[in-house]
Amino acid sequence: MKKAIEKQYVVPFMLVSVLFLLWGLANNMTDTLLAAFKKIMNMSDAQTSLIQFAFYGSYFCFALPAALFIRKYSYKLGIILGLTLYAAGTILFYPAAEVESYLFYLIAIYIMAGGCSVLETTANPYILSMGDPETATRRLNIAQSLNPIGSIIGILMSKMFILSDISLQSVSSTYMGLGFVLIGIMALMCFAKMPLGKDNDHSSVGASFARLLKNKNYVYGVIAQFFYVGAQICVWSFTIRLVMQELPIAEAEAASIYLVSIICFCSARFLFTWLMKWVMPARLMAWAAAADLLLCVIIVALGGNGWIVVGALILVSFFMSLQFPTIYGIALDGIGDDAKIGASGLIMAILGGAIITPLQGQISDMAGINVSYAVPAVCFAVVLAYSVFAMKRR
């Protein structure tokens, strides 16, 4: 059996994998902001979902420029650019608190997320390029395993420093502290010895897009990624709210259930990566998407049943764990030098989190939060369809 990580790539693989932890931290800290701002500013679910619109809308806007940047320069400079934007956004939380402006917070979140978008656009194809193409999807799942660890850290930070004493000051000081840590990591990256990874493809960007648009596997992968990210952000954005409804507990206690979900997500990532040694990734993803679809139906149908609904919600995260990197790896399979531009399309698909989450917020306000989980159910059906297509193609 071929090794997923060859000896000459171990050090750069480890350094780049740290980035997966960093944007996981940002993603899940932001998820908890919906519950915080709902209480601080007395907002509806639809209003607080604008946080996700700003975050994932930024992903869409920054992904292609990031791909063009690393295509012209290098992966390493792409990493430094991403860390700079990420840190700048977190530090802007301070003036946002001073003027007590929700719009200012959304701008800060937009800039921070832009940095995360640059990091994802850079790191994912970099990891795929580090070795044999046959082990690329497994290699990406290994690197992505650090992402939920970052998520766990983000939730713990939110629980300890934000949700335990909900105020604008607690929000801003927590994010500013993260910003100073990021500046330190950026300084380390500047001096680290890493392959530049310059692009050897001198064809036009238009030619790359033309080739990609003719590739059904890639195009369907982008569509599946759009709906998967929409499902993930929907599930996690309203986890605390749903738990508070099913179990009469406060935000900080509900965040503990959210943390359990992320731990399950993290553990399952390792389990599914191990299973990929013997089972085709697309087949595993089909089983997982089908399970998530069924679990969302249970949440919709059995609202008010307390721990039954909460248990189903936790299991949704367990089966979500392999879907993002597996879609990513399958969609980029065999596209060669178009990988950097192709990666930007898959990161732009994260726009699904910006568009689909407000839709769930509106349904939650009109029909109840349990009913709103019909939205991620539809999204998982799309992922299941792509899994079946990938299995037939293979």
Side-chain angles (χ1 to χ4, degrees):
M1 183 180 296
K2 294 182 179 179
K3 291 183 178 179
I5 308 164
E6 298 169 19
K7 185 176 180 180
Q8 67 268 32
Y9 292 115
V10 169
V11 173
F13 178 87
M14 292 174 62
L15 289 172
V16 175
S17 293
V18 171
L19 304 177
F20 289 75
L21 182 150
L22 292 177
W23 71 68
L25 189 152
N27 289 349
N28 291 88
M29 280 185 69
T30 303
D31 290 342
T32 63
L33 287 182
L34 275 73
F37 275 96
K38 183 177 179 67
K39 186 171 183 178
I40 293 169
M41 296 185 173
N42 194 28
M43 293 178 169
S44 68
D45 286 337
Q47 288 173 318
T48 59
S49 68
L50 290 176
I51 291 171
Q52 302 294 36
F53 183 82
F55 193 94
Y56 293 99
S58 178
Y59 260 82
F60 176 82
C61 295
F62 278 84
L64 181 57
L68 297 176
F69 181 86
I70 61 175
R71 198 170 191 261
K72 183 176 180 180
Y73 297 103
S74 68
Y75 284 119
K76 181 174 180 177
L77 288 177
I79 290 169
I80 292 170
L81 174 62
L83 288 170
T84 301
L85 290 170
Y86 189 170
T90 58
I91 291 172
L92 284 175
F93 272 65
Y94 176 75
E98 290 297 303
V99 298
E100 298 184 354
S101 168
Y102 186 50
L103 177 60
F104 204 147
Y105 272 109
L106 294 178
I107 292 170
I109 290 168
Y110 181 87
I111 295 171
M112 176 184 72
C116 293
S117 178
V118 174
L119 290 177
E120 286 212 45
T121 305
T122 304
N124 282 292
Y126 199 5
I127 291 294
L128 289 173
S129 70
M130 292 181 183
D132 194 315
E134 290 186 17
T135 59
T137 299
R138 184 150 54 100
R139 187 162 52 252
L140 185 58
N141 270 274
I142 294 170
Q144 284 275 357
S145 296
L146 288 180
N147 183 258
I149 294 174
S151 299
I152 292 170
I153 296 171
I155 296 168
L156 287 173
M157 289 176 62
S158 294
K159 179 178 168 62
M160 293 172 60
F161 303 120
I162 297 177
L163 297 179
S164 61
D165 180 26
I166 299 177
S167 66
L168 292 181
Q169 288 70 32
S170 64
V171 170
S172 299
S173 60
T174 302
Y175 274 86
M176 282 188 63
L178 172 60
F180 290 120
V181 171
L182 291 168
I183 291 171
I185 293 173
M186 182 177 64
L188 177 64
M189 287 290 185
C190 286
F191 294 102
K193 293 183 179 180
M194 297 167 60
L196 293 178
K198 289 184 69 65
D199 202 335
N200 295 319
D201 181 20
H202 300 292
S203 62
S204 69
V205 174
S208 291
F209 273 118
R211 289 191 293 269
L212 290 169
L213 289 173
K214 293 178 181 178
N215 187 327
K216 287 185 179 181
N217 179 61
Y218 173 77
V219 173
Y220 293 165
V222 171
I223 294 170
Q225 199 72 293
F226 176 91
F227 282 97
Y228 167 72
V229 174
Q232 177 183 298
I233 305 310
C234 282
V235 169
W236 286 348
S237 293
F238 295 102
T239 288
I240 291 176
R241 288 268 294 107
L242 180 59
V243 170
M244 289 173 64
Q245 176 176 291
E246 294 292 330
L247 308 174
I249 56 178
E251 287 88 353
E253 289 78 12
S256 297
I257 303 295
Y258 183 29
L259 177 60
V260 171
S261 297
I262 302 302
I263 291 172
C264 287
F265 182 90
C266 180
S267 302
R269 178 66 60 76
F270 289 104
L271 173 62
F272 283 120
T273 301
W274 176 71
L275 288 173
M276 283 179 188
K277 293 180 179 180
W278 300 280
V279 183
M280 184 170 63
R283 187 178 302 278
L284 280 175
M285 186 165 67
W287 294 342
D292 276 336
L293 173 56
L294 176 60
L295 289 164
C296 285
V297 171
I298 290 172
I299 292 170
V300 172
L302 299 181
N305 279 275
W307 279 106
I308 294 175
V309 173
V310 172
L313 185 61
I314 291 170
L315 286 174
V316 170
S317 291
F318 180 90
F319 288 107
M320 282 198 306
S321 63
L322 84 160
Q323 293 178 45
F324 182 93
T326 303
I327 294 171
Y328 200 104
I330 292 172
L332 293 185
D333 181 35
I335 68 171
D337 289 332
D338 292 326
K340 290 177 183 176
I341 298 300
S344 71
L346 286 161
I347 298 302
M348 290 170 75
I350 290 175
L351 181 67
I355 293 177
I356 297 175
T357 308
L359 173 62
Q360 183 176 4
Q362 290 178 347
I363 293 175
S364 176
D365 289 334
M366 293 186 297
I369 194 165
N370 291 83
V371 175
S372 74
Y373 273 76
V375 174
V378 172
C379 296
F380 288 125
V382 175
V383 176
L384 176 58
Y386 181 63
S387 303
V388 173
F389 167 81
M391 288 165 59
K392 291 181 178 179
R393 170 180 174 271
R394 190 70 175 178

